[in-house]
């Protein structure tokens, strides 16, 4: 190349930059790309292995361009490097992306072989000119008033070695589906294609696309007129994981996503164990001063489930019901789901059985009931799953329950584990319809647990409806650490129930307690008459699980009382009693239809121990996130201090992590 390039050529190049959408020239494009590739390889070395790129994001592109300009100081060098940048800018525009895509008629069905040919174009095995830029890569605004699309999450460009689709699956794809599949294999390190990945910063998803199961916070009750409180236990943990995910992304969670009881019950507690009157759990009640109001008290109710010998547990029949709809096509969804289930397999007994059903536009069995000892067959079935299509949740549930019924034998435990982002958009799509369907199925003896994955279109309301009506637990998995906790560390408690339909009822003594309010459990409220009605469903307690419930109560005569005393008081029958209230619990032994009753009085207490104080810190934290009016000027700093001083024995670091999340919330609340 001659270095004596005249100024007219540079002027022509400037004019080219001034044209937002140059007319395509296939011959010129091929020549320029071939030359760019040749020079790129000469300056950068071998492309056999991906090179590290220490500068990520938009600044990486400009930093590299600056270095090239500093190195190539001749006019020829300047012209060449400017042309490279021009190619990159063109690639980033919608017009440029169309130039790079293969010529395939829109919406033409592709066979498996044709789809694989398209996806192979993105694996660095073809020349640069044949690379496909994913449709959803961030676009660059060239000043032509085009809207700039939202950037992808940072993890969305990872390479996944697993096949998108099993060869045995008889499925055809549209061009758009195939290109979206190809995007999963696209790597930021892939030559010129890297220029299209200049913006990989984590995006703030639209919270309006997510629905949460929650309601207004429990109001203050006047004991003289409403002395009885009734609710179902809750062992779900999804709200805490959602909270952690939001704070880790750099924003406070939607208040409706915060269910305070799930924040409290996320942690294991060292509560008194053993049985009471041969019950499968033991209740403990303590009363102590409220940290955010010295003129009120907290009634702390703890339930500790017994842990049977693991080796004596009955065989377990599991049906993995896996959402493979198009909305699961995200690294934080289906790929994380696969990794999570792999962790779980190592903790199953050889005589346990596993079946797999996937559902998208239609439902299908991926794996027939298989002994857990045949780990390789199960892993291959999990690896074969790929995302695409709409979501036929109803069809998937029907087939999963049918398979579970075929697997059932006397004495065995049957459970369907639904893994989804909650986007049920085909079939029965509203929570009430799904509730009715699951309610009809729960009496068959097959339990349903729900695992949520991913953000952006999370349907927490549907997940909660399914889990609550399916005699199961709802959890949200955003990391492998959370998968380890739910599916490994707490597997026995999550899958083996020791008590069904556990209900709590507290009657407060109006001679001692003027007012009270239950902290959390807004979605678990029951009518007073539901307590003795065995037909009313309630929560399940798993082996070794513990449950915590906390009331804030105002003693009679306390300056904290917010309501005036009634002029015409009803006759008090307990004025001579020092009992603050009376606790009743009902539960059913699994497989039984008649409930059992446990009763114990609530007596004045002293101070909170470490376990109780940490639970209270989490209760306060949850109320801060929901902007509760009853905690006064108690702050995040107060919650942090209380939790930090009462971390106690924290072998897995759960409580330490909670303190860090409190600190994040404190910082974000001040912005």
């Amino acid at each position: 190349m001659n270095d004596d390039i005249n100024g007219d050529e540079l002027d022509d190049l400037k004019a080219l930059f001034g044209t937002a959408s140059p007319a395509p020239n296939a011959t010129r494009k091929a020549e320029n790309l071939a030359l760019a590739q040749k020079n790129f390889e000469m300056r950068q070395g071998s492309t056999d292995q991906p090179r590290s790129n220490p500068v990520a994001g938009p600044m990486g592109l400009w930093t590299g361009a600056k270095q090239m300009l500093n190195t190539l100081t001749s006019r020829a060098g300047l012209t060449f490097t400017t042309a490279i940048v021009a190619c990159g800018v063109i690639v980033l525009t919608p017009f440029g992306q169309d130039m790079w895509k293969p010529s395939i008629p829109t919406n033409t069905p592709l066979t498996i072989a044709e789809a694989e040919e398209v996806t192979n174009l993105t694996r660095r095995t073809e020349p640069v000119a044949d690379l496909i830029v994913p449709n959803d890569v961030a676009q660059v605004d060239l000043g032509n008033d085009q809207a700039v699309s939202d950037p992808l999450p940072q993890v969305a460009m990872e390479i996944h070695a697993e096949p998108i689709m099993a060869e045995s699956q008889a499925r055809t794809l549209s061009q758009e589906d195939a290109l979206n599949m190809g995007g999963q294999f696209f790597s930021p390190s892939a030559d010129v294609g890297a220029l299209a990945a200049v913006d990989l910063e984590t995006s703030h998803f639209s919270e309006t696309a997510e629905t949460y199961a929650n309601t207004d916070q429990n109001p203050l009750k006047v004991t003289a007129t409403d002395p009885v409180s009734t609710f179902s236990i809750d062992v779900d943990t999804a709200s805490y994981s959602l909270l952690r995910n939001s704070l880790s992304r750099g924003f406070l969670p939607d208040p409706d996503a915060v269910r305070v009881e799930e924040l409290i019950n996320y942690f294991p507690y060292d509560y008194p164990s053993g049985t009471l009157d041969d019950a499968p759990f033991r209740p403990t009640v303590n009363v102590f001063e409220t940290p955010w109001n010295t003129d009120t008290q907290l009634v702390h109710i703890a339930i500790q489930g017994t842990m049977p010998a693991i080796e004596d547990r009955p065989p377990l029949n599991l049906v993995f019901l896996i959402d493979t709809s198009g909305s699961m096509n995200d690294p934080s969804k289906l790929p994380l789901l696969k990794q999570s289930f792999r962790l779980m397999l190592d903790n199953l007994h050889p005589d346990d059985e596993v079946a797999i059903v996937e559902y998208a536009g239609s439902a299908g069995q991926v794996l027939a009931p298989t002994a857990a000892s045949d780990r390789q067959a199960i892993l291959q079935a999990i690896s074969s799953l790929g995302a695409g299509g709409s979501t036929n949740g109803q069809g998937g549930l029907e087939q999963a329950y049918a398979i579970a019924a075929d697997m059932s034998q006397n004495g065995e435990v049957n459970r369907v584990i639904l893994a989804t982002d909650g986007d049920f958009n085909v079939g029965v799509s509203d929570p009430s319809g799904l509730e009715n369907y699951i309610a009809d199925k729960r009496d068959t003896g097959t339990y349903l647990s729900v695992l949520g994955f991913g953000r952006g279109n999370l349907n927490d309301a549907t997940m909660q409806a399914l889990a609550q009506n399916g005699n199961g637990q709802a959890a949200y998995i955003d990391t492998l650490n959370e998968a380890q906790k739910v599916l490994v560390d707490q597997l026995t408690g999550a899958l083996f129930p020791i008590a069904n339909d556990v209900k709590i009822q507290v009657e407060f003594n109006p001679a001692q307690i003027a007012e009270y309010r239950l902290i959390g459990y807004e979605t678990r409220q029951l009518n007073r008459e539901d307590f003795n009605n065995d037909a009313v469903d309630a929560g399940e307690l798993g082996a070794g699980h513990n449950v915590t419930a906390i009331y804030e109560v105002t003693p009679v005569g306390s300056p904290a009382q917010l309501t005036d005393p009634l002029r015409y008081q009803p006759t008090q029958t307990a004025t001579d009693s020092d009992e603050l209230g009376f606790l009743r619990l009902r539960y059913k032994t699994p497989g039984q239809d008649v409930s059992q009753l446990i009763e114990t009085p609530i007596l004045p207490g002293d101070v909170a121990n470490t376990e109780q104080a940490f639970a209270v810190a989490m209760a306060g934290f949850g109320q801060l996130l929901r902007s509760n009016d009853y905690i006064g000027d108690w702050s995040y700093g107060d919650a942090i201090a209380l939790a930090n001083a009462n971390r106690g024995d924290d072998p897995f670091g759960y409580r330490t992590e909670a303190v860090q999340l409190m600190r994040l919330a404190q910082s974000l609340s001040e912005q």
Side-chain angles (χ1 to χ4, degrees):
M1 186 180 290
N2 190 346
D3 287 346
D4 297 325
I5 298 176
N6 58 43
D8 292 336
E9 290 174 322
L10 289 177
D11 292 339
D12 292 341
L13 184 61
K14 294 178 181 178
L16 177 63
F17 275 130
T19 304
S21 300
N25 186 320
T27 303
R28 182 73 174 270
K29 178 181 117 177
E31 293 174 353
N32 288 341
L33 289 174
L35 178 61
Q37 175 70 10
K38 178 179 178 181
N39 284 277
F40 184 85
E41 292 174 351
M42 290 174 58
R43 294 194 57 81
Q44 300 295 332
S46 171
T47 60
D48 292 338
Q49 298 293 330
R51 294 178 298 278
S52 62
N53 181 11
V55 183
M59 295 307 298
L61 174 62
W62 309 127
T63 301
K66 181 179 178 182
Q67 291 175 347
M68 294 171 69
L69 291 172
N70 290 337
T71 303
L72 301 176
T73 55
S74 68
R75 295 173 64 86
L78 177 61
T79 302
F80 168 69
T81 54
T82 306
I84 290 292
V85 175
C87 291
V89 172
I90 292 172
V91 167
L92 292 171
T93 65
F95 176 82
Q97 292 181 22
D98 290 337
M99 293 172 58
W100 286 62
K101 294 177 182 176
S103 179
I104 305 175
T106 303
N107 295 326
T108 300
L110 302 181
T111 66
I112 295 300
E114 291 170 336
E116 289 180 348
E117 179 64 24
V118 175
T119 60
N120 284 337
L121 296 179
T122 67
R123 299 187 186 181
R124 290 181 50 88
T125 60
E126 301 293 331
V128 173
D130 292 328
L131 285 174
I132 297 176
V133 179
N135 292 329
D136 48 3
V137 170
Q139 300 171 1
V140 172
D141 187 356
L142 297 180
N144 57 357
D145 296 329
Q146 274 187 292
V148 180
S149 64
D150 292 335
L152 294 173
Q154 186 171 1
V155 295
M157 304 298 289
E158 295 178 354
I159 299 176
H160 299 284
E162 299 170 348
I164 289 294
M165 181 180 297
E167 294 181 1
S168 61
Q169 289 179 275
R171 187 187 297 180
T172 60
L173 303 174
S174 67
Q175 174 193 7
E176 181 180 358
D177 289 335
L179 293 177
N180 287 336
M181 284 169 50
Q184 291 198 34
F185 290 96
F186 188 86
S187 167
S189 62
D191 299 329
V192 178
L195 299 178
V198 295
D199 191 354
L200 297 178
E201 294 181 0
T202 301
S203 63
H204 183 114
F205 56 81
S206 174
E207 294 183 9
T208 59
E210 298 191 342
T211 58
Y212 307 110
N214 217 335
T215 185
D216 294 339
Q217 298 176 78
N218 289 324
L220 189 73
K221 298 291 187 69
V222 178
T223 309
T225 58
D226 193 0
V228 179
S229 170
T230 309
F231 63 98
S232 164
I233 67 164
D234 185 4
V235 295
D236 294 343
T237 60
S239 182
Y240 179 87
S241 300
L242 286 170
L243 157 74
R244 177 182 58 211
N245 185 269
S246 296
L247 292 174
S248 298
R249 289 171 177 259
F251 59 92
L252 292 170
D254 187 317
D256 282 340
V258 179
R259 292 184 289 272
V260 180
E261 76 277 7
E262 294 187 23
L263 271 59
I264 299 171
N265 289 318
Y266 179 82
F267 306 89
Y269 294 96
D270 186 18
Y271 292 149
S273 58
T275 61
L276 179 67
D277 297 331
D278 296 324
F281 57 84
R282 177 177 178 177
T284 306
V285 184
N286 293 92
V287 181
F288 42 82
E289 184 179 280
T290 305
W292 51 81
N293 189 341
T294 58
D295 293 320
T296 66
Q297 295 177 326
L298 296 180
V299 176
H300 179 281
I301 301 171
I303 297 175
Q304 178 62 58
T306 58
M307 175 65 80
I310 300 300
E311 59 274 11
D312 296 334
R313 75 164 175 82
L316 178 64
N317 298 322
L318 292 178
V319 180
F320 294 163
L321 176 56
I322 300 178
D323 183 352
T324 55
S325 62
S327 63
M328 292 291 287
N329 189 14
D330 183 276
S332 65
K333 297 183 180 181
L334 189 57
L336 178 59
L337 182 156
K338 294 180 181 181
Q339 293 173 314
S340 300
F341 280 173
R342 290 190 186 102
L343 292 178
M344 181 181 182
L345 288 181
D346 291 333
N347 291 271
L348 298 180
H349 290 185
D351 55 350
D352 295 336
E353 282 195 330
V354 172
I356 299 177
V357 175
E358 69 168 343
Y359 67 94
S362 60
Q365 179 175 283
V366 178
L367 179 70
T370 302
S373 57
D374 193 356
R375 190 173 185 274
Q376 190 60 33
I378 300 173
L379 287 176
Q380 288 178 351
I382 292 175
S383 297
S384 73
L385 298 170
S390 55
T391 314
N392 185 5
Q394 172 88 3
L397 286 169
E398 289 175 349
Q399 186 162 4
Y401 274 115
I403 293 174
D406 292 339
M407 298 170 68
S408 177
Q409 295 184 24
N410 291 334
E412 296 186 342
V413 176
N414 300 326
R415 187 175 292 267
V416 174
I417 299 180
L418 168 61
T420 178
D421 62 359
D423 186 16
F424 284 67
N425 53 30
V426 172
V428 179
S429 57
D430 66 289
S432 60
L434 288 168
E435 286 178 19
N436 295 333
Y437 176 79
I438 296 299
D440 291 339
K441 293 293 184 179
R442 68 184 175 215
D443 293 334
T444 64
T446 299
Y447 294 84
L448 173 69
S449 293
V450 183
L451 304 178
F453 290 84
R455 300 298 300 269
N457 63 337
L458 184 73
N459 195 328
D460 175 69
T462 298
M463 290 172 52
Q464 291 292 317
L466 290 173
Q468 291 183 21
N469 288 274
N471 285 358
Q473 179 183 4
Y476 172 74
I477 295 180
D478 57 337
T479 64
L480 267 185
N481 285 337
E482 185 64 17
Q484 172 82 17
K485 176 180 182 291
V486 174
L487 298 176
V488 178
D489 298 338
Q490 299 178 349
L491 177 66
T492 301
L495 299 183
F496 293 93
I498 60 174
N500 290 345
D501 294 340
V502 182
K503 306 170 187 175
I504 297 178
Q505 186 171 84
V506 176
E507 179 186 354
F508 287 104
N509 180 0
Q512 300 289 340
I513 302 300
E515 301 162 339
Y516 68 91
R517 67 182 182 94
L518 176 61
I519 300 175
Y521 291 95
E522 283 85 1
T523 65
R524 301 285 182 155
Q525 294 295 302
L526 297 174
N527 296 323
R528 180 174 177 178
E529 62 272 17
D530 293 339
F531 183 74
N532 292 321
N533 186 352
D534 286 346
V536 174
D537 185 56
E540 279 60 49
L541 183 67
H545 265 168
N546 45 53
V547 177
T548 303
I550 300 174
Y551 286 91
E552 182 176 6
V553 299
T554 305
V556 171
S558 169
Q561 186 171 339
L562 297 178
T563 59
D564 293 328
L566 296 176
R567 178 179 178 86
Y568 304 103
Q569 288 282 0
T571 302
Q572 303 293 343
T573 60
T575 55
D576 296 332
S577 172
D578 61 353
E579 293 180 1
L580 304 184
F582 199 71
L583 170 66
R584 298 180 179 90
L585 299 105
R586 280 201 176 274
Y587 71 94
K588 297 174 186 173
T589 302
Q592 301 297 315
D593 296 328
V594 179
S595 65
Q596 307 294 318
L597 177 65
I598 298 176
E599 298 178 314
T600 184
I602 301 174
L603 302 174
D606 192 4
V607 295
N609 60 29
T610 296
E611 302 301 290
Q612 297 157 359
F614 186 84
V616 170
M618 293 307 302
F621 179 42
Q623 291 177 96
L624 285 167
L625 292 170
R626 296 208 70 184
S627 301
N628 191 294
D629 294 332
Y630 295 111
I631 57 175
D633 58 359
W634 206 67
S635 66
Y636 285 108
D638 295 321
I640 292 168
L642 183 60
N644 213 22
N646 293 279
R647 282 184 292 174
D649 187 19
D650 188 26
F652 302 115
Y654 299 146
R655 298 187 184 189
T656 299
E657 177 192 64
V659 173
Q660 297 305 316
L661 293 179
M662 290 180 183
R663 296 179 62 213
L664 270 176
Q666 181 183 39
S667 298
L668 293 171
S669 68
E670 295 171 351
Q671 293 181 359

